[in-house]
Amino acid sequence: GGRSPTSYASTATASVPTRWAPRSCAQLASHGFDVWLQEAFVTLLRGDRLVLVDEETRRDAERLLELLAAERVERMYLSPAQLDQLAISLTERPADLALRHISVGGEPLRLSAETRALFASLEGVVLENQYGPSETHHGSSSILSGDPQEWPAAPSIGRPIPGTRMYLLDRHLNLVPPGVPGELYIAGDALARGYIGKPALTAERFIADPFQPGRRMYRTG
């Protein structure tokens, strides 16, 4: 809700130099999933090419590989489970892919041997691990490049993207020192307004930001 789509689009279109940015993106997510904003909205705002994927192809890894190769898709967004399936399918059926940037999100990323092999076979491809609940959309990211064998098994969620703030706080809403466990709170331009028809839950999870008077933050739990 609120400024999230336009805020994220502004960040995404400004953060990647045009000379480097992949120019085609596969549209895999359903309209009800917030990553659709990245696939469709941001791609079209940048003047890039959006490759539509039908439901049958989306569910069939072999057909998806054929489409990615035929359409020379350079950028795509996947869940870690989808990435693993794509990697396994590619070992069974090699394809000439043009991928340059793969983003994952929606669940914790754990790198499998097949996924490492996939990126080892695609020279120069970047893996971006994104984090952000639906209440804040895309809040942080980390970029993995270089030798996939040297990537950590459980990559970090990275640092906040521009326009987003993240705090690790104790139960009194004080910042915790490095290495001390705390609860993650997210604030910034992409924060949702709340839950429709659920004022009590909205008040519980969207609270005043003690570090930015007049602003709110989301309690991730």
Side-chain angles (χ1 to χ4, degrees), residues 25-27 33 37 44 52 66 72 76 83 89 95 103 106 110 122 128 140 149 160 176 179 187 196 199 205 207 212:
C25 178
Q27 200 279 297
F33 189 32
L37 288 170
L44 296 177
L52 302 181
E66 292 175 353
R72 312 309 294 160
M76 63 191 308
L83 177 61
S89 298
S103 297
R110 299 290 185 270
L122 299 173
E128 180 183 8
S140 68
Q149 299 305 322
V176 298
I196 296 177
R205 303 306 291 266
I207 64 175
Q212 294 280 336

Side-chain angles (χ1 to χ4, degrees), residues 30-218:
S30 68
H31 294 177
F33 189 32
D34 57 1
V35 77
W36 179 84
L37 288 170
Q38 298 182 57
E39 292 179 335
F41 198 50
V42 173
T43 297
L44 296 177
L45 277 177
R46 291 205 306 210
D48 295 345
R49 183 168 62 95
L50 186 64
V51 178
L52 302 181
V53 183
D54 61 47
E55 188 64 27
E56 289 187 9
T57 302
R58 186 182 293 115
R59 295 176 179 273
D60 186 323
E62 185 174 312
R63 290 181 59 173
L64 179 58
L65 280 174
E66 292 175 353
L67 176 70
L68 296 176
E71 294 290 342
R72 312 309 294 160
V73 170
E74 297 179 302
R75 184 175 73 253
M76 63 191 308
Y77 299 84
L78 302 168
S79 69
Q82 289 173 319
L83 177 61
D84 283 342
Q85 185 57 54
L86 183 70
I88 292 171
S89 298
L90 195 59
T91 61
E92 299 171 348
R93 185 184 177 88
D96 178 23
L97 302 181
L99 287 168
R100 298 173 61 190
H101 192 123
I102 298 177
S103 297
V104 295
E107 58 193 60
L109 174 61
R110 299 290 185 270
L111 292 176
S112 65
E114 291 82 5
T115 296
R116 293 181 191 274
L118 165 66
F119 282 89
S121 69
L122 299 173
E123 184 177 355
V125 178
V126 168
L127 175 60
E128 180 183 8
N129 185 32
Q130 298 184 351
Y131 167 77
S134 296
E135 290 84 352
T136 67
H137 189 46
H138 177 193
S140 68
S141 70
S142 62
I143 298 292
L144 298 171
S145 60
D147 185 358
Q149 299 305 322
E150 297 181 359
W151 295 352
S156 163
I157 64 172
R159 302 181 65 84
I161 64 172
T164 297
R165 302 183 302 280
M166 288 186 168
Y167 311 121
L168 200 59
L169 308 178
D170 62 20
R171 61 191 180 94
H172 301 295
L173 301 183
N174 296 313
L175 292 168
V176 298
V180 175
E183 185 173 356
L184 182 63
Y185 291 76
I186 305 176
D189 293 338
L191 199 65
R193 295 175 180 174
Y195 303 106
I196 296 177
K198 297 181 178 180
L201 183 59
T202 296
E204 176 187 341
R205 303 306 291 266
F206 293 86
I207 64 175
D209 183 343
F211 308 101
Q212 294 280 336
R215 305 296 295 273
R216 299 179 307 146
M217 61 183 184
Y218 171 68

